[in-house]
Protein backbone atom coordinates (compact mmCIF):
# COMPACT_ATOMS: atom_id res chain seq x y z
CA UNK A 1 0.00 0.00 0.00
CA UNK A 2 1.24 3.50 -0.80
CA UNK A 3 1.14 5.60 2.39
CA UNK A 4 -0.93 8.73 2.15
CA UNK A 5 0.61 12.10 2.79
CA UNK A 6 -0.77 15.20 4.47
CA UNK A 7 -2.60 16.15 1.30
CA UNK A 8 -4.79 13.00 1.59
CA UNK A 9 -4.50 12.17 -2.10
CA UNK A 10 -3.51 8.93 -3.72
CA UNK A 11 0.14 9.18 -4.72
CA UNK A 12 1.13 10.28 -8.19
CA UNK A 13 4.26 9.02 -9.98
CA UNK A 14 5.99 12.21 -8.84
CA UNK A 15 5.30 11.54 -5.15
CA UNK A 16 7.63 9.94 -4.31
CA UNK A 17 8.66 6.93 -6.36
CA UNK A 18 8.90 8.16 -9.93
CA UNK A 19 10.59 11.06 -11.65
CA UNK A 20 8.21 10.99 -14.58
CA UNK A 21 10.91 10.08 -17.09
CA UNK A 22 12.49 6.82 -18.17
CA UNK A 23 15.51 6.95 -15.86
CA UNK A 24 16.86 3.45 -16.29
CA UNK A 25 17.72 3.28 -19.98
CA UNK A 26 21.24 2.05 -20.57
CA UNK A 27 23.28 4.83 -22.14
CA UNK A 28 24.37 4.03 -25.68
CA UNK A 29 26.75 5.98 -27.87
CA UNK A 30 25.33 7.74 -30.87
CA UNK A 31 25.60 5.49 -33.88
CA UNK A 32 25.22 6.04 -37.58
CA UNK A 33 23.62 4.14 -40.39
CA UNK A 34 26.09 1.28 -40.09
CA UNK A 35 24.16 -0.18 -37.14
CA UNK A 36 21.53 -1.53 -39.52
CA UNK A 37 23.15 -1.74 -42.95
CA UNK A 38 19.92 -3.19 -44.33
CA UNK A 39 18.63 0.20 -45.36
CA UNK A 40 20.69 0.78 -48.46
CA UNK A 41 20.48 0.47 -52.21
CA UNK A 42 19.88 -2.93 -53.72
CA UNK A 43 18.18 -4.61 -50.79
CA UNK A 44 14.45 -5.35 -50.57
CA UNK A 45 11.81 -3.66 -48.42
CA UNK A 46 8.31 -5.10 -48.08
CA UNK A 47 5.65 -2.70 -46.81
CA UNK A 48 2.05 -3.64 -46.06
CA UNK A 49 -0.62 -0.97 -45.91
CA UNK A 50 1.39 0.89 -48.54
CA UNK A 51 -1.44 2.45 -50.53
CA UNK A 52 -1.63 5.57 -48.39
CA UNK A 53 -0.44 7.34 -45.29
CA UNK A 54 2.56 6.07 -43.35
CA UNK A 55 2.94 2.92 -45.45
CA UNK A 56 3.06 4.90 -48.68
CA UNK A 57 5.50 7.42 -47.20
CA UNK A 58 7.73 4.58 -46.01
CA UNK A 59 7.73 2.92 -49.43
CA UNK A 60 8.65 6.20 -51.12
CA UNK A 61 11.48 6.84 -48.65
CA UNK A 62 12.87 3.34 -49.17
CA UNK A 63 12.79 4.02 -52.91
CA UNK A 64 14.69 7.29 -52.43
CA UNK A 65 17.34 5.25 -50.64
CA UNK A 66 17.57 2.89 -53.62
CA UNK A 67 15.91 -0.22 -52.19
CA UNK A 68 13.75 -2.56 -54.21
CA UNK A 69 10.17 -2.18 -53.00
CA UNK A 70 7.34 -4.69 -52.63
CA UNK A 71 4.08 -3.06 -51.59
CA UNK A 72 0.80 -4.58 -50.48
CA UNK A 73 -2.61 -3.19 -49.58
CA UNK A 74 -6.28 -4.03 -50.00
CA UNK A 75 -6.95 -0.71 -51.79
CA UNK A 76 -6.01 -1.73 -55.32
CA UNK A 77 -6.38 1.62 -57.10
CA UNK A 78 -4.38 3.56 -54.51
CA UNK A 79 -1.76 0.80 -54.36
CA UNK A 80 -1.26 0.87 -58.11
CA UNK A 81 -0.92 4.64 -57.97
CA UNK A 82 1.81 4.31 -55.35
CA UNK A 83 3.47 1.64 -57.47
CA UNK A 84 3.59 3.93 -60.51
CA UNK A 85 5.24 6.67 -58.47
CA UNK A 86 7.79 4.21 -57.11
CA UNK A 87 8.56 2.97 -60.62
CA UNK A 88 9.49 6.49 -61.71
CA UNK A 89 12.00 6.57 -58.86
CA UNK A 90 13.69 3.16 -59.00
CA UNK A 91 12.44 1.61 -62.25
CA UNK A 92 9.59 -0.80 -62.82
CA UNK A 93 11.87 -3.84 -62.42
CA UNK A 94 12.53 -2.81 -58.82
CA UNK A 95 8.88 -2.42 -57.81
CA UNK A 96 6.42 -5.20 -57.02
CA UNK A 97 2.75 -4.31 -56.51
CA UNK A 98 0.68 -7.08 -54.92
CA UNK A 99 -2.90 -6.26 -53.86
CA UNK A 100 -3.26 -8.14 -50.58
CA UNK A 101 -5.76 -8.46 -47.75
CA UNK A 102 -3.48 -9.36 -44.83
CA UNK A 103 -6.49 -10.82 -43.02
CA UNK A 104 -6.53 -13.66 -45.59
CA UNK A 105 -3.81 -16.28 -45.21
CA UNK A 106 -3.81 -17.41 -48.81
CA UNK A 107 -3.25 -13.83 -49.95
CA UNK A 108 -0.30 -13.37 -47.59
CA UNK A 109 1.24 -16.61 -48.86
CA UNK A 110 0.71 -15.40 -52.44
CA UNK A 111 2.44 -12.14 -51.53
CA UNK A 112 5.44 -14.06 -50.20
CA UNK A 113 5.56 -16.25 -53.29
CA UNK A 114 5.51 -13.27 -55.63
CA UNK A 115 8.31 -11.52 -53.74
CA UNK A 116 10.54 -14.60 -53.91
CA UNK A 117 9.64 -15.31 -57.52
CA UNK A 118 10.55 -11.74 -58.49
CA UNK A 119 13.82 -11.39 -56.61
CA UNK A 120 14.68 -14.72 -55.03
CA UNK A 121 17.34 -17.14 -56.14
CA UNK A 122 17.49 -20.63 -54.69
CA UNK A 123 20.50 -22.75 -55.60
CA UNK A 124 19.59 -25.58 -57.96
CA UNK A 125 20.92 -29.04 -57.15
CA UNK A 126 21.56 -31.37 -60.05
CA UNK A 127 20.76 -35.07 -60.03
CA UNK A 128 23.63 -37.48 -59.40
CA UNK A 129 23.82 -40.64 -61.45
CA UNK A 130 23.18 -43.63 -59.23
CA UNK A 131 23.00 -47.39 -59.51
CA UNK A 132 19.86 -49.48 -59.29
CA UNK A 133 20.66 -50.42 -55.68
CA UNK A 134 19.25 -47.18 -54.32
CA UNK A 135 16.18 -46.34 -52.34
CA UNK A 136 13.44 -44.26 -53.87
CA UNK A 137 11.83 -41.38 -52.04
CA UNK A 138 9.45 -38.93 -53.74
CA UNK A 139 11.29 -35.92 -55.11
CA UNK A 140 9.96 -32.62 -53.83
CA UNK A 141 9.98 -29.33 -55.68
CA UNK A 142 13.07 -27.21 -55.20
CA UNK A 143 10.77 -24.23 -54.70
CA UNK A 144 10.70 -22.83 -51.15
CA UNK A 145 7.07 -21.92 -51.72
CA UNK A 146 6.05 -25.57 -51.42
CA UNK A 147 7.51 -25.79 -47.93
CA UNK A 148 5.36 -25.29 -44.80
CA UNK A 149 5.00 -21.66 -43.80
CA UNK A 150 6.92 -22.01 -40.56
CA UNK A 151 9.71 -24.21 -41.93
CA UNK A 152 13.09 -22.98 -43.12
CA UNK A 153 13.82 -23.50 -46.78
CA UNK A 154 15.74 -26.60 -47.87
CA UNK A 155 17.10 -27.88 -51.12
CA UNK A 156 16.99 -31.57 -51.86
CA UNK A 157 20.13 -33.39 -52.97
CA UNK A 158 19.63 -36.56 -54.94
CA UNK A 159 22.19 -39.18 -53.94
CA UNK A 160 22.64 -42.95 -53.96
CA UNK A 161 21.62 -45.14 -51.06
CA UNK A 162 23.57 -48.41 -51.40
CA UNK A 163 21.96 -50.41 -48.62
CA UNK A 164 18.17 -50.03 -48.75
CA UNK A 165 16.04 -52.22 -51.05
CA UNK A 166 14.58 -50.67 -54.14
CA UNK A 167 10.82 -50.23 -53.96
CA UNK A 168 8.83 -49.37 -57.03
CA UNK A 169 9.05 -45.71 -57.89
CA UNK A 170 8.21 -43.41 -60.78
CA UNK A 171 11.68 -41.88 -60.41
CA UNK A 172 14.25 -43.43 -62.73
CA UNK A 173 16.93 -44.18 -61.87
CA UNK A 174 15.91 -44.84 -58.25
CA UNK A 175 17.00 -42.05 -55.92
CA UNK A 176 16.95 -40.93 -52.32
CA UNK A 177 16.12 -37.33 -51.44
CA UNK A 178 18.16 -35.97 -48.57
CA UNK A 179 17.11 -32.62 -47.11
CA UNK A 180 20.01 -30.32 -46.38
CA UNK A 181 20.16 -26.70 -45.32
CA UNK A 182 21.45 -24.40 -48.04
CA UNK A 183 22.10 -20.73 -48.42
CA UNK A 184 18.77 -18.97 -48.03
CA UNK A 185 17.61 -16.33 -50.45
CA UNK A 186 18.79 -12.89 -49.39
CA UNK A 187 15.43 -11.32 -50.08
CA UNK A 188 13.49 -9.31 -47.52
CA UNK A 189 15.79 -6.95 -45.65
CA UNK A 190 13.04 -4.68 -44.26
CA UNK A 191 9.67 -6.13 -43.29
CA UNK A 192 7.26 -3.38 -42.31
CA UNK A 193 3.93 -4.57 -40.93
CA UNK A 194 1.88 -1.44 -41.31
CA UNK A 195 -1.64 -2.49 -42.33
CA UNK A 196 -4.22 -1.12 -39.93
CA UNK A 197 -7.87 -0.14 -39.58
CA UNK A 198 -9.75 1.62 -36.82
CA UNK A 199 -13.51 0.85 -36.80
CA UNK A 200 -15.06 1.50 -33.40
CA UNK A 201 -15.76 -1.36 -31.02
CA UNK A 202 -16.82 -0.66 -27.44
CA UNK A 203 -16.41 -3.01 -24.50
CA UNK A 204 -19.83 -4.54 -25.13
CA UNK A 205 -20.73 -3.52 -28.66
CA UNK A 206 -19.57 -3.74 -32.25
CA UNK A 207 -18.52 -7.39 -32.31
CA UNK A 208 -18.03 -7.41 -36.09
CA UNK A 209 -15.74 -4.41 -35.81
CA UNK A 210 -13.81 -6.24 -33.11
CA UNK A 211 -13.28 -9.16 -35.48
CA UNK A 212 -12.28 -6.90 -38.36
CA UNK A 213 -9.83 -4.79 -36.40
CA UNK A 214 -8.12 -7.82 -34.86
CA UNK A 215 -7.98 -9.65 -38.18
CA UNK A 216 -6.12 -6.75 -39.78
CA UNK A 217 -4.24 -5.05 -36.94
CA UNK A 218 -3.10 -8.19 -35.14
CA UNK A 219 -3.58 -11.33 -37.20
CA UNK A 220 -2.29 -9.47 -40.23
CA UNK A 221 1.03 -9.41 -38.35
CA UNK A 222 1.14 -12.73 -36.54
CA UNK A 223 -0.77 -15.84 -35.54
CA UNK A 224 -0.21 -19.22 -33.96
CA UNK A 225 1.16 -22.00 -36.17
CA UNK A 226 -1.28 -23.12 -38.87
CA UNK A 227 -4.12 -25.34 -37.76
CA UNK A 228 -5.15 -28.50 -39.64
CA UNK A 229 -7.43 -27.72 -42.54
CA UNK A 230 -10.14 -29.78 -40.90
CA UNK A 231 -10.19 -27.35 -37.98
CA UNK A 232 -13.29 -25.12 -38.18
CA UNK A 233 -11.17 -22.01 -37.47
CA UNK A 234 -8.50 -22.80 -40.04
CA UNK A 235 -9.94 -20.54 -42.70
CA UNK A 236 -10.52 -17.53 -40.47
CA UNK A 237 -8.16 -14.72 -39.60
CA UNK A 238 -6.76 -16.94 -36.86
CA UNK A 239 -3.88 -18.13 -39.03
CA UNK A 240 -3.51 -15.03 -41.18
CA UNK A 241 -0.13 -13.40 -40.73
CA UNK A 242 2.76 -11.63 -42.30
CA UNK A 243 5.25 -12.19 -39.55
CA UNK A 244 5.14 -15.97 -39.48
CA UNK A 245 5.05 -16.19 -43.26
CA UNK A 246 8.22 -14.19 -43.85
CA UNK A 247 10.30 -14.31 -40.67
CA UNK A 248 11.36 -18.00 -40.79
CA UNK A 249 13.33 -17.40 -43.98
CA UNK A 250 14.68 -14.07 -42.73
CA UNK A 251 16.21 -15.85 -39.73
CA UNK A 252 18.61 -17.72 -42.01
CA UNK A 253 19.78 -14.82 -44.14
CA UNK A 254 23.46 -14.05 -43.82
CA UNK A 255 22.88 -10.31 -44.01
CA UNK A 256 21.10 -8.21 -41.43
CA UNK A 257 17.36 -7.57 -41.58
CA UNK A 258 14.81 -5.59 -39.61
CA UNK A 259 11.16 -6.11 -38.75
CA UNK A 260 9.12 -2.98 -38.03
CA UNK A 261 5.66 -3.46 -36.53
CA UNK A 262 3.39 -0.42 -36.40
CA UNK A 263 1.75 0.00 -33.02
CA UNK A 264 -0.05 2.96 -31.52
CA UNK A 265 0.09 5.16 -28.44
CA UNK A 266 -3.50 4.05 -27.88
CA UNK A 267 -2.19 0.55 -27.30
CA UNK A 268 -0.09 1.91 -24.41
CA UNK A 269 -2.10 4.67 -22.72
CA UNK A 270 -5.49 3.12 -23.66
CA UNK A 271 -7.66 6.26 -23.94
CA UNK A 272 -11.41 5.62 -23.70
CA UNK A 273 -13.48 5.56 -26.88
CA UNK A 274 -12.36 2.63 -29.03
CA UNK A 275 -11.62 -0.44 -26.93
CA UNK A 276 -11.27 -2.68 -30.00
CA UNK A 277 -8.54 -0.59 -31.62
CA UNK A 278 -6.73 -0.06 -28.32
CA UNK A 279 -6.76 -3.77 -27.52
CA UNK A 280 -5.47 -4.73 -30.97
CA UNK A 281 -2.57 -2.32 -30.71
CA UNK A 282 -1.79 -3.40 -27.14
CA UNK A 283 -1.51 -6.93 -28.53
CA UNK A 284 0.84 -5.73 -31.29
CA UNK A 285 3.04 -4.16 -28.61
CA UNK A 286 3.13 -7.41 -26.65
CA UNK A 287 3.87 -9.63 -29.64
CA UNK A 288 6.62 -7.29 -30.90
CA UNK A 289 8.27 -7.25 -27.48
CA UNK A 290 8.19 -11.05 -27.49
CA UNK A 291 9.58 -11.15 -31.02
CA UNK A 292 12.46 -8.85 -30.08
CA UNK A 293 13.35 -11.04 -27.11
CA UNK A 294 13.23 -14.26 -29.13
CA UNK A 295 15.37 -12.77 -31.88
CA UNK A 296 18.08 -11.49 -29.58
CA UNK A 297 18.25 -14.83 -27.75
CA UNK A 298 19.07 -16.66 -30.98
CA UNK A 299 22.78 -17.33 -31.47
CA UNK A 300 24.26 -15.07 -34.15
CA UNK A 301 20.89 -13.52 -34.93
CA UNK A 302 20.98 -10.97 -37.75
CA UNK A 303 17.36 -9.84 -37.39
CA UNK A 304 16.08 -7.11 -35.08
CA UNK A 305 12.51 -6.08 -34.26
CA UNK A 306 11.23 -2.56 -33.65
CA UNK A 307 7.91 -1.23 -32.34
CA UNK A 308 6.97 1.87 -34.33
CA UNK A 309 4.60 4.11 -32.33
CA UNK A 310 3.51 7.09 -34.46
CA UNK A 311 2.31 10.34 -32.98
CA UNK A 312 -0.50 12.40 -34.44
CA UNK A 313 0.09 11.80 -38.12
CA UNK A 314 -1.99 13.15 -40.97
CA UNK A 315 -2.91 9.95 -42.87
CA UNK A 316 -5.88 8.26 -44.49
CA UNK A 317 -7.01 7.08 -41.08
CA UNK A 318 -6.78 10.56 -39.55
CA UNK A 319 -8.01 12.92 -42.24
CA UNK A 320 -5.91 12.86 -45.39
CA UNK A 321 -8.55 10.74 -47.13
CA UNK A 322 -10.68 13.82 -47.60
CA UNK A 323 -12.35 14.07 -44.19
CA UNK A 324 -10.17 17.07 -43.38
CA UNK A 325 -9.15 19.79 -45.89
CA UNK A 326 -5.54 20.10 -44.82
CA UNK A 327 -3.01 18.83 -42.32
CA UNK A 328 -3.74 20.26 -38.87
CA UNK A 329 -0.94 22.34 -37.39
CA UNK A 330 -0.48 19.91 -34.53
CA UNK A 331 0.02 16.85 -36.70
CA UNK A 332 3.16 15.61 -38.41
CA UNK A 333 3.04 14.55 -42.03
CA UNK A 334 3.50 10.88 -42.82
CA UNK A 335 6.88 11.75 -44.36
CA UNK A 336 8.09 13.41 -41.15
CA UNK A 337 6.94 10.44 -39.10
CA UNK A 338 8.74 7.95 -41.37
CA UNK A 339 11.99 9.92 -41.35
CA UNK A 340 11.95 10.02 -37.55
CA UNK A 341 11.21 6.30 -37.42
CA UNK A 342 14.10 5.38 -39.73
CA UNK A 343 16.49 7.55 -37.73
CA UNK A 344 15.55 5.67 -34.56
CA UNK A 345 15.84 2.28 -36.31
CA UNK A 346 19.37 3.22 -37.34
CA UNK A 347 20.10 4.09 -33.71
CA UNK A 348 18.94 0.64 -32.62
CA UNK A 349 15.87 1.74 -30.63
CA UNK A 350 13.20 -0.85 -30.03
CA UNK A 351 10.48 1.54 -28.81
CA UNK A 352 10.20 4.24 -31.47
CA UNK A 353 7.91 6.73 -29.75
CA UNK A 354 7.25 9.48 -32.28
CA UNK A 355 6.37 13.03 -31.19
CA UNK A 356 4.32 15.53 -33.16
CA UNK A 357 3.77 19.27 -33.17
CA UNK A 358 1.24 19.05 -30.33
CA UNK A 359 2.87 16.42 -28.13
CA UNK A 360 6.51 16.47 -27.14
CA UNK A 361 8.27 13.23 -26.30
CA UNK A 362 8.41 14.30 -22.65
CA UNK A 363 4.62 14.59 -22.56
CA UNK A 364 4.28 11.05 -23.90
CA UNK A 365 6.75 9.80 -21.30
CA UNK A 366 4.80 11.37 -18.45
CA UNK A 367 1.50 9.97 -19.71
CA UNK A 368 2.97 6.48 -20.04
CA UNK A 369 4.46 6.65 -16.54
CA UNK A 370 1.11 7.76 -15.11
CA UNK A 371 -0.66 4.84 -16.75
CA UNK A 372 1.90 2.35 -15.41
CA UNK A 373 1.48 3.84 -11.93
CA UNK A 374 -2.27 3.10 -12.04
CA UNK A 375 -1.26 -0.52 -11.52
CA UNK A 376 1.70 0.05 -9.22
CA UNK A 377 -0.22 2.39 -6.91
CA UNK A 378 -3.61 0.71 -7.05
CA UNK A 379 -5.52 3.56 -8.62
CA UNK A 380 -8.73 3.05 -10.62
CA UNK A 381 -8.36 1.88 -14.20
CA UNK A 382 -7.60 4.73 -16.60
CA UNK A 383 -7.45 7.16 -13.70
CA UNK A 384 -6.24 9.89 -16.04
CA UNK A 385 -9.86 10.18 -17.21
CA UNK A 386 -11.45 9.53 -13.78
CA UNK A 387 -13.33 12.49 -12.33
CA UNK A 388 -11.63 12.09 -8.93
CA UNK A 389 -8.12 12.04 -10.44
CA UNK A 390 -8.34 14.48 -13.33
CA UNK A 391 -7.08 17.45 -11.31
CA UNK A 392 -4.26 15.38 -9.83
CA UNK A 393 -3.20 14.21 -13.28
CA UNK A 394 -3.10 17.77 -14.56
CA UNK A 395 -0.98 18.82 -11.57
CA UNK A 396 1.32 15.84 -12.19
CA UNK A 397 1.82 16.89 -15.78
CA UNK A 398 2.59 20.50 -14.83
CA UNK A 399 5.07 19.40 -12.17
CA UNK A 400 6.68 16.84 -14.43
CA UNK A 401 7.20 19.23 -17.31
CA UNK A 402 8.54 21.88 -14.96
CA UNK A 403 11.08 19.43 -13.59
CA UNK A 404 12.19 18.46 -17.08
CA UNK A 405 12.71 22.12 -17.98
Amino acid sequence: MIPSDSRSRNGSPLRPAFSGVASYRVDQPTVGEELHPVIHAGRVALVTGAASGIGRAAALEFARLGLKIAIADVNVAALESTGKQLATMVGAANVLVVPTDVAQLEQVVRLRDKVYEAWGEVRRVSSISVSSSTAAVPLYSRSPHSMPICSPFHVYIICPHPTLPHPSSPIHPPTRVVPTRAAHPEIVAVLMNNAGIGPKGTSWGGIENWRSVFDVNLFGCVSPPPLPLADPYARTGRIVNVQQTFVPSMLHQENQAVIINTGSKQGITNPPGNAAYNASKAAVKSLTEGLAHELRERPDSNVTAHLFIPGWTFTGMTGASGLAPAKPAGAWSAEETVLYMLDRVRSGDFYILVPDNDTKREVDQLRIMWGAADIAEGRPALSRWHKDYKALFEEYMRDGLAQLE
Side-chain angles (χ1 to χ4, degrees), residues 99 117 178-179 195 204 232 273 278 399 403:
E117 288 166 3
V178 180
W204 57 81
N278 294 358
D399 291 349
Q403 287 184 17

Side-chain angles (χ1 to χ4, degrees), residues 264-272 278 282 285 309 353 363-372 374 381-385:
S264 170
K265 294 177 184 178
Q266 289 181 229
I268 301 173
T269 58
N270 200 22
N278 294 358
K285 171 182 175 289
I309 312 164
L353 187 64
V363 171
D364 281 327
Q365 289 175 324
L366 288 166
R367 289 172 176 173
I368 291 169
M369 292 295 289
W370 177 276
D374 278 352
L382 306 182
S383 69
R384 173 180 160 190
W385 295 275

Side-chain angles (χ1 to χ4, degrees), residues 37 49 73 110 119 185 189-190 192 204 206 257 294 300 319 332 337 372-373 396:
D73 201 293
R110 180 174 60 89
W119 295 315
V190 180
M192 185 171 178
W204 57 81
E294 293 175 23
D300 303 317
W332 272 14
T337 298
Y396 155 79

Side-chain angles (χ1 to χ4, degrees), residues 284-363:
V284 170
K285 171 182 175 289
S286 179
L287 82 90
T288 310
E289 290 169 336
L291 173 65
H293 171 79
E294 293 175 23
L295 289 172
R296 72 170 178 254
E297 292 300 306
R298 287 178 56 87
D300 303 317
S301 177
N302 275 333
V303 185
T304 60
H306 307 266
L307 181 64
F308 173 33
I309 312 164
W312 183 12
T313 308
F314 190 60
T315 71
M317 291 182 66
T318 59
S321 59
L323 300 179
K327 182 183 78 66
W332 272 14
S333 68
E335 292 75 16
E336 289 173 304
T337 298
V338 165
L339 289 173
Y340 184 94
M341 177 268 291
L342 290 177
D343 184 61
R344 304 321 302 167
V345 168
R346 292 188 182 105
S347 296
D349 289 5
F350 171 76
Y351 297 103
I352 303 174
L353 187 64
V354 184
D356 54 58
N357 293 334
D358 257 5
T359 306
K360 298 187 297 184
R361 179 179 176 83
E362 292 80 7
V363 171

Side-chain angles (χ1 to χ4, degrees), residues 84-142:
K84 290 178 182 178
Q85 185 170 354
L86 292 169
T88 65
M89 300 170 67
V90 294
N94 294 316
V95 178
L96 185 63
V97 178
V98 187
T100 305
D101 180 356
V102 294
Q104 302 297 324
L105 172 63
E106 62 275 13
Q107 294 192 33
V108 177
V109 173
R110 180 174 60 89
L111 169 64
R112 178 201 63 189
D113 291 351
K114 286 185 176 295
V115 171
Y116 279 85
E117 288 166 3
W119 295 315
E121 293 183 3
V122 178
R123 180 165 52 111
R124 293 178 182 270
V125 179
S126 301
S127 298
I128 302 173
S129 298
V130 297
S131 68
S132 60
S133 59
T134 55
V137 178
L139 179 62
Y140 294 90
S141 166
R142 76 168 188 94

